[in-house]
Amino acid sequence: MLTIMRKNVREYNPEIAGVQLELSVRPPMLLDLRQPAPTFPLIPTGSLIQTDSKLGHELIAGPLVGNQQVVGHKEPGPGAHPEYIGNAVQRYQVTRVIPPLSNEHGMVSWQRMEQQFGDPWATLDNCQHAARKAYYGTPNSPTVTGFAVVAGLLVLWLANRN
């Protein structure tokens, strides 16, 4: 979208005999340069972010809002929600970033995460389920799967003891 104002640039149009038009074209402000630069590097939108959390907390990178990037994730209490990345990294140390396969994949990943905002956290629908559903398209939690395998082996061992 271009803003046209009567200022600065003079342009003569021979079709309009003897009339001069003064036009000033100003491109839209995509980035407010008066704000400080983002404090964290920009992670591609839709990236799967893994952390050093004991239970493997995972997030999805979102777009810049103002001068800060947001992430989407699911936590006990607030459930699935967006948050500035600066706030999230105060609680979780990022250990790995898996970028999207393409820009389209990144946008689809973020849209899938947005669709989950407001959903509650549950043991069988946790942060890994939410992030992997957004990134891969199917919910999966290696932590829950690992606990289920260990519990199954424990039940088998207890059953065979007798």
Side-chain angles (χ1 to χ4, degrees), residues 2-98:
L2 298 175
T3 304
I4 299 175
M5 301 165 51
R6 294 180 170 247
K7 278 186 184 174
N8 303 339
V9 180
R10 292 181 179 263
E11 180 179 310
Y12 179 72
N13 186 342
E15 293 178 14
I16 305 174
V19 177
Q20 289 184 349
L21 298 176
E22 293 181 14
L23 299 173
S24 174
V25 179
R26 182 177 53 187
M29 183 71 80
L30 298 176
L31 187 62
D32 188 351
L33 300 177
R34 295 169 291 179
Q35 294 182 358
T39 32
F40 295 93
L42 184 63
I43 298 171
T45 298
S47 295
L48 177 64
I49 302 171
Q50 297 177 333
T51 69
D52 69 345
S53 169
K54 291 178 180 128
L55 297 177
H57 190 73
E58 295 179 347
L59 310 90
I60 295 292
L64 280 177
V65 174
N67 68 335
Q68 293 187 41
Q69 186 168 16
V70 296
V71 292
H73 60 125
K74 191 181 273 191
E75 295 180 293
H81 66 284
E83 179 176 17
Y84 286 120
I85 194 170
N87 296 339
V89 298
Q90 290 177 5
R91 296 188 312 280
Y92 305 107
Q93 182 179 355
V94 174
T95 56
R96 184 174 178 205
V97 174
I98 304 171

